Structure formats: structure tokens, C-alpha cells
Amino acid sequence: MADELVLLDFWPSPFGMRVRIALAEKGIKHEYREEDLRNKSALLLQMNPVHKKIPVLIHNGKPVCESLIQVQYIDEVWHDQAPLLPSDPYQRAIARFWADFVDKKIYELGRKIWTTKGEEQEAGKKEFIECLKLLEGELGDKPYFGGENLGYVDVVLVPFYSWFLAYEKCGNFSIEAECPKLIAWAKRCLQKESVSKSLPDQEKVYGFVLQLKKIFGIE
Amino acid sequence: MAEIHVIISSCDRNVGITTALRRKPVLVNFTSKLEQTMADEDEVKLFGMWASPYSRRVELALKLKGIPYEYVEEDLSSKSCLLLKYNPVHQKIPVLVHYGKPIAESLVILEYIDETWTNNPILPQDPYDRAMARFWAKFIDEKLLMTTRKASVASGKEKEQAIEEITEQLKLLESELQGKEYFSGPSIGYLDIVASVLVFWFGNLQEALGVDMFTKEKFPIIFGWIGKVVEIDAVEVCRIPKEKHLEYIRTRLEAFKSASK
């Protein structure tokens, strides 16, 4: 029986991008469905009744929610192609730790940067850069967090690169000036088709953020 | 005769875990007559705190798998140099150290334990069941416990709202338990270990806050599960002493209230 895979997603969502990259890395055929978050589909509400959020991965009618859980699920089911998590338990723990770190910090701090001003924004920018520097430390001299190939942490972090221009314009700062190694890493990832096809253009995301600011009355 | 190697290293808070591991430690050799059992416990060290449900759940997993370990109680008001060395990023407990290699974040630690000591597996084998277990574990940590924290420090309408949210979240957990012996199925597993916060910690917190929403009447299935879980030896060993816990919560709340004035 052929696998039936549907991804309910929203184009600027970094969480959705993680799943797109994972599926593309492993060459997994799936149907992509764009959700209108102001008018969520009955399918989305049925498949993710707890959070009512995207992305939702529906595999043969069964939903998997939460992007880190989805990426691990994809890695475990399609374990033969392009493994994302290492096989050694300690290395897996390190990868999970940093993925958890990205989840806890990057989205919220980025959000702080484009939704606030003044002291609050400055504090957000400072912490954001500190977190990126910690990630640079973890990357070290490796081409990818996963070593020689794209791995779990790369998939989890690189989507935020599509939001960097928006953060920079809203926060009036340069991420590359502070974290050149991380930008070099992101551009290296973008050379892979699985990443370049999954990430929207930075200008498009910036335009979306400006629209959101208008809608929510944020200056 | 066993040798003990003591690693002396400066506490550099800005260094990530794996970078910290790559730094060359200074070894000081001591020799001493030690029993082999003590050497076994040196393999695994857990830096924890008696009142932390995150710390207790790791202990529960270690006990369920029969893994000998050395427990190091941390004073969170004065964190040890070792803790800061082993978890420079978050500087929090629990931290599991296995042959000198640290792992932080309780859910990450649980998966590491399951993958390293493969007896009595705690996570299901099937990838979909694993995804479901991880989903509900995340729900407990990111929704239930976050809202609980909010309710603890809020007052008035905000507190009422938070308590209502908790009630809804507990109802979702109740329906997840429906028709099952344990969250993990016929026997105790990963999700029960994560949910063990409901067994002692949650009820104590409720009592300290003078709230009465987590009751057998409102949540019969969860309380039925609690009744089963406390019969397991390992769980009893991880009980948080009630009176001591109540006092601890009250002291912390007072400190929080005076700090926010």
C-alpha cells in the first residue's frame, strides 16, 4: 500500500519549513496544503484539536503534531534515507538538547524583536545574538551541526534564516556582523535543494511581517 | 584498588556543552581502596533537587531500569561549580552525567536513558506511538506546568482564568488515559514518568495554594492511575516529602511576592 502523506502548513512558518526540509531530504512524496490561519480548515481542527496549529503531518490518516516531533517521526519511519539524528545515544542527546534550545529561545526572541521597541527590543536583540553565538560555538568548525551532512539541528534552526532580514530591519541591526559563522552556515545549507525549496525568500517574509505589524497596530 | 580521577576545570559559563567536553581537563590521580559497587555508581551521576518534578522523573526512570547512580543534591540558591560546568547554557537541574559526559533537559535525559540502557524500555517501539508519547509529554511540560506556574503567582481574575485552563488541560489528559492501565498502555512507561508530576508534586502545590480543583471527583481516571502508580516501589522512593514541600512552596511564593513589589 502506498503511503499517503499530507502536510498542513503555512508558507512563512519556520516550524512548517522544518518538516518540508525533512521530507525533501528523504525524497518523501507528499501533498502540501496551504492553510489560511484566519480561517482554519475543518481538517486542521480535526487533526490538531489540542493546539489547532500548523504544521500537521497526516500519515495514512493519522496526525502527528509539533514540528520537532514530526521531524523525529519522519527520521524514524524513513530511517534508511538521509538520517537526520546520529546513531550514537550521546550524540542524539546533544542534538536533541540544541533543538530544544532553538525551540525555547529563537522564535520568542525573534518575535520580541519585530513586535516591540525601545528597551524591550534592545534586550531581545541582545539575548538573540547571545543565543546565536552559543549556537555558533556548538557548530564549531563543522560544515553542519550534523557534521559532514545536514542533521537534526540544521533542519530545526535554518528555517529562522528566512526571518533574519525581517528581524534586522525591524531591530535595525546586522546579524551577519555579530555572527558571521552562522550566516556562512545558513548559506551553505541553502545550497542544498531540500533547504532552498523549503525556505521562502527573506524579502517575502519581511513583507509578511510588515503586513502583520499593520494588522496588529505595531509600529 | 581503584583509581579515582578528579577533573578540575574552571567554570566557564559561556562555553557550550560539547565545547566544554573538548577542553582538556587537568587530571589529578588519587588511589584508594574502593568497592566495585561504588565505581558502578560513579558511572552515573544525577545533579538534582528534591522538590523538582523534573529531577524526580529522571530518578524514577533510573530506578525503574535498576541503574545505579550517585545523586548530588543542588542548592539552587548557590549552584555548584560542577553544575555550572555541566550545564553552562541553562545552569539548571536535572543534569545526568554518564562517565563524565553531561546531558541536560529532563525529556532529553529520559530518551538518553532509554537508548543507553535498553532493558525495560520506557518508550514504545512503534514510531507513531512514540510521536504520541512525545506529544503528550510536551503538552504536560509546555502547557500544564507552564499554566500551573502562572496560576501559582497570579491573583484575582488572572488566577481564576489560569485555574480554568489547568482544568481543561487535565481533562485532555484524562481522555488520553481512558481505557488504559497507564498512559503508556498495559505497563508504566515514558509518559507515566513524565506525568508523575501529578502523583505528589501537583497535589502538594494545590494544597499550598489553598486551591481545590485537582480532586478524585473531578478527575476519577487520573486519580485511578495515581492509585496504581504509587503501588510501584520505584515511585514510592521518589515521593516528595509533603510537609517539607509545602513549606518550601510557601517560602518561594513569599520570596516571589516580595521581589515583585
Side-chain angles (χ1 to χ4, degrees), chain A residues 48 50-51 53 62-66 68-69 72-73 76-77 88-90 92-94 96-98 100-101 103-105 134 137-138 140 142, chain B residues 14-19 21-22 87 89-90 101-105 108 111-112 115-116 127-128 130-132 134-136 138-139 142-143 172:
Chain A
N48 191 359
V50 174
H51 302 300
K53 286 179 170 179
K62 298 201 293 188
V64 181
C65 304
E66 298 299 300
L68 293 191
I69 295 173
Q72 287 185 85
Y73 175 77
E76 288 173 11
V77 173
D88 170 69
Y90 187 69
R92 289 160 78 84
I94 302 274
R96 286 183 174 129
F97 172 86
W98 287 107
D100 173 75
F101 175 81
D103 244 24
K104 282 189 163 93
K105 300 280 185 184
L134 277 175
E138 174 55 24
K142 307 192 297 285
Chain B
N14 295 320
V15 172
I17 286 183
T18 43
T19 315
L21 289 176
R22 283 190 219 113
N87 191 1
V89 174
H90 299 303
K101 299 193 291 187
I103 303 121
E105 295 301 305
V108 176
E111 297 227 20
Y112 175 78
E115 289 173 1
T116 306
Y128 190 77
R130 292 159 78 83
M132 288 290 101
R134 288 170 178 147
F135 175 86
W136 287 107
K138 190 171 190 201
F139 178 82
E142 291 185 8
K143 292 285 173 184
L172 282 171

Side-chain angles (χ1 to χ4, degrees), chain B residues 53-89:
Chain B
Y54 306 101
S55 175
R56 290 287 178 168
R57 64 168 64 140
V58 175
E59 284 197 88
L60 179 53
L62 291 168
K63 295 227 186 284
L64 285 170
K65 290 215 181 226
I67 301 162
Y69 64 98
E70 182 194 335
Y71 178 77
V72 180
E73 181 71 35
E74 278 288 328
D75 173 0
L76 299 185
S77 60
S78 175
K79 292 174 182 177
S80 74
C81 222
L82 268 183
L83 174 64
L84 300 179
K85 176 187 108 155
Y86 285 134
N87 191 1
V89 174

Side-chain angles (χ1 to χ4, degrees), chain A residues 77-147:
Chain A
V77 173
W78 290 273
H79 50 83
D80 289 334
Q81 300 113 278
L84 295 171
L85 272 158
S87 47
D88 170 69
Y90 187 69
Q91 294 306 319
R92 289 160 78 84
I94 302 274
R96 286 183 174 129
F97 172 86
W98 287 107
D100 173 75
F101 175 81
V102 172
D103 244 24
K104 282 189 163 93
K105 300 280 185 184
I106 304 300
Y107 179 75
E108 283 309 321
L109 289 171
R111 196 163 191 278
K112 210 175 183 182
I113 294 171
W114 71 264
T115 57
T116 67
K117 284 198 105 69
E119 261 181 58
E120 212 185 330
Q121 192 191 53
E122 287 307 307
K125 278 158 66 180
K126 184 167 180 270
E127 207 186 333
F128 182 75
I129 293 297
E130 276 168 12
C131 290
L132 292 188
K133 286 199 162 132
L134 277 175
L135 287 161
E136 274 191 328
E138 174 55 24
L139 179 65
D141 297 324
K142 307 192 297 285
Y144 305 98
F145 286 92

Side-chain angles (χ1 to χ4, degrees), chain A residues 11 204-217:
Chain A
W11 70 267
K204 196 178 175 193
V205 173
Y206 180 45
F208 169 72
V209 168
L210 290 176
Q211 265 189 331
L212 280 182
K213 281 167 86 97
K214 238 190 206 163
I215 294 171
F216 292 114

Side-chain angles (χ1 to χ4, degrees), chain B:
Chain B
M1 224 163 45
E3 278 184 63
I4 309 172
H5 294 260
V6 175
I7 296 171
I8 300 167
S9 172
S10 62
C11 302
D12 186 338
R13 294 175 195 215
N14 295 320
V15 172
I17 286 183
T18 43
T19 315
L21 289 176
R22 283 190 219 113
R23 293 172 90 198
K24 287 202 176 127
V26 171
L27 294 179
V28 175
N29 288 329
F30 295 100
T31 46
S32 127
K33 290 174 186 169
L34 277 186
E35 303 288 334
Q36 188 54 44
T37 44
M38 278 208 67
D40 284 343
E41 284 178 349
D42 288 344
E43 256 181 56
V44 182
K45 264 195 171 79
L46 174 65
F47 291 78
M49 195 263 167
W50 64 272
S52 160
Y54 306 101
S55 175
R56 290 287 178 168
R57 64 168 64 140
V58 175
E59 284 197 88
L60 179 53
L62 291 168
K63 295 227 186 284
L64 285 170
K65 290 215 181 226
I67 301 162
Y69 64 98
E70 182 194 335
Y71 178 77
V72 180
E73 181 71 35
E74 278 288 328
D75 173 0
L76 299 185
S77 60
S78 175
K79 292 174 182 177
S80 74
C81 222
L82 268 183
L83 174 64
L84 300 179
K85 176 187 108 155
Y86 285 134
N87 191 1
V89 174
H90 299 303
Q91 297 169 16
K92 288 181 171 180
I93 55 90
V95 177
L96 189 81
V97 183
H98 188 201
Y99 281 127
K101 299 193 291 187
I103 303 121
E105 295 301 305
S106 64
L107 298 188
V108 176
I109 296 171
L110 291 182
E111 297 227 20
Y112 175 78
I113 289 172
D114 206 35
E115 289 173 1
T116 306
W117 291 274
T118 52
N119 61 306
N120 304 349
I122 57 176
L123 270 154
Q125 292 301 307
D126 174 68
Y128 190 77
D129 295 337
R130 292 159 78 83
M132 288 290 101
R134 288 170 178 147
F135 175 86
W136 287 107
K138 190 171 190 201
F139 178 82
I140 288 169
D141 275 9
E142 291 185 8
K143 292 285 173 184
L144 182 65
L145 293 182
M146 285 294 134
T147 317
T148 302
R149 218 161 269 150
K150 203 166 50 167
S152 310
V153 298
S155 53
K157 213 156 190 185
E158 214 188 309
K159 186 175 184 166
E160 268 176 47
Q161 243 173 330
I163 293 174
E164 256 182 61
E165 261 181 73
I166 296 170
T167 308
E168 290 312 308
Q169 290 160 353
L170 286 170
K171 283 193 183 147
L172 282 171
L173 286 173
E174 272 250 311
S175 45
E176 190 47 30
L177 249 186
Q178 197 117 38
K180 294 197 279 197
E181 283 287 296
Y182 299 93
F183 279 103
S184 306
S187 52
I188 189 172
Y190 172 81
L191 192 48
D192 303 275
I193 294 168
V194 175
S196 68
V197 62
L198 295 173
V199 177
F200 304 117
W201 187 89
F202 205 79
N204 290 351
L205 180 67
Q206 175 171 244
E207 192 170 323
L209 293 176
V211 170
D212 191 33
M213 52 80 76
F214 186 53
T215 63
K216 199 171 170 182
E217 290 68 41
K218 285 207 183 105
F219 304 103
I221 304 177
I222 293 180
F223 274 79
W225 166 80
I226 291 175
K228 263 181 244 141
V229 157
V230 295
E231 310 253 281
I232 300 169
D233 286 341
V235 173
E236 185 52 43
V237 159
C238 298
R239 177 186 287 272
I240 301 179
K242 188 173 181 179
E243 288 311 318
K244 190 179 176 192
H245 194 208
L246 292 178
E247 212 205 298
Y248 175 77
I249 296 169
R250 287 175 186 139
T251 313
R252 282 199 78 194
L253 285 177
E254 280 308 312
F256 181 86
K257 282 184 187 145
S258 15
S260 21
K261 282 188 186 146

